[in-house]
Amino acid sequence: MSCFASLTRSSKIRTVVFLIAAACITAMAVNCVHAYQGYQMEEMFKGGDGRLEIDGADFTWIFMSGLNFMKYTLIIVVLAAYTVFMVVFSAIISLSMRLIGLRKVRQDDMSEYKISGMGFIAVNAIGLIISLIITKGGLLLAILLFFVPQLLIVWAVYLSDLKKKSVQSAHGHFVEDTKQDLTQL
């Protein structure tokens, strides 16, 4: 907490807004896991015990094989759609945070980056635990597909830029082969 107290007012606001945005992204991922789990369980246990007989021959197994193929294909399509949604949603939030929040940022140290990074990891760890509780430890592929891309996108788009701006400001901008610091001009 002492690191947070040492931040400037704008850094505190930016950190809090980022953590709220990260919580929204994680909540959406948990919501996708819950919705997908409900959809998958509903589709998997639907009844399909009707018999198909043509001219006295039983064609139920062919019909059920085709029906099951369509069900599983639809389950995969829904999984892909939720994954694409999470990628787009997290990219929009991350890009807006970067473009709005990091326009004129110059940090003297890495405190804001460390707080934001640790908060982001904590929020996602809580989301993963909730997802595992919701699915009773199942649907690990779906959980990974909903969480890993958004983790990578937020880290690559927002947190890496925040780190870069913190490191550049802390080390200064020197003209090559001289000792002249461009931030002092």
Side-chain angles (χ1 to χ4, degrees):
M1 259 321 154
S2 64
C3 284
F4 187 76
S6 68
L7 294 177
T8 64
R9 183 174 182 266
S10 62
S11 292
K12 287 178 184 178
I13 293 170
R14 193 172 33 255
T15 302
V16 169
V17 169
F18 169 72
L19 291 177
I20 290 170
C24 290
I25 293 171
T26 303
M28 189 59 71
V30 170
N31 188 28
C32 285
V33 168
H34 179 68
Y36 181 73
Q37 189 240 0
Y39 173 79
Q40 186 184 27
M41 293 302 121
E42 178 183 308
E43 284 299 313
M44 294 298 278
F45 295 112
K46 267 188 180 174
D49 52 351
R51 300 190 45 82
L52 180 65
E53 291 185 18
I54 299 174
D55 291 333
D58 186 17
F59 287 96
T60 305
W61 67 274
I62 295 173
F63 177 73
M64 291 307 292
S65 297
L67 187 62
N68 286 335
F69 176 76
M70 288 181 4
K71 279 183 185 179
Y72 293 126
T73 303
L74 189 59
I75 286 172
I76 292 170
V77 167
V78 170
L79 178 67
Y82 278 129
T83 303
V84 169
F85 170 75
M86 280 308 302
V87 167
V88 170
F89 182 72
S90 58
I92 289 171
I93 299 293
S94 299
L95 283 172
S96 62
M97 285 293 300
R98 180 179 177 169
L99 294 175
I100 295 169
L102 296 179
R103 279 185 297 157
K104 298 177 182 177
V105 173
R106 294 285 180 239
Q107 298 295 326
D108 293 334
D109 61 5
M110 299 285 286
S111 297
E112 182 180 352
Y113 170 73
K114 290 176 184 175
I115 292 169
S116 296
M118 295 304 290
F120 182 63
I121 290 170
V123 164
N124 277 288
I126 291 169
L128 283 169
I129 291 168
I130 291 170
S131 295
L132 288 171
I133 291 170
I134 287 171
T135 62
K136 296 179 179 83
L139 297 178
L140 294 178
L141 177 65
I143 292 171
L144 288 175
L145 285 175
F146 300 154
F147 276 89
V148 171
Q150 62 102 356
L151 282 166
L152 295 175
I153 288 170
V154 171
W155 207 274
V157 172
Y158 182 79
L159 289 173
S160 67
D161 194 47
L162 180 63
K163 181 180 181 180
K164 182 175 72 171
K165 290 185 180 206
S166 298
V167 170
Q168 282 178 353
S169 182
H171 296 306
H173 300 280
F174 292 96
V175 176
E176 288 190 32
D177 299 328
T178 69
K179 300 286 184 187
Q180 184 179 7
D181 185 359
L182 294 177
T183 59
Q184 303 300 319
L185 296 177

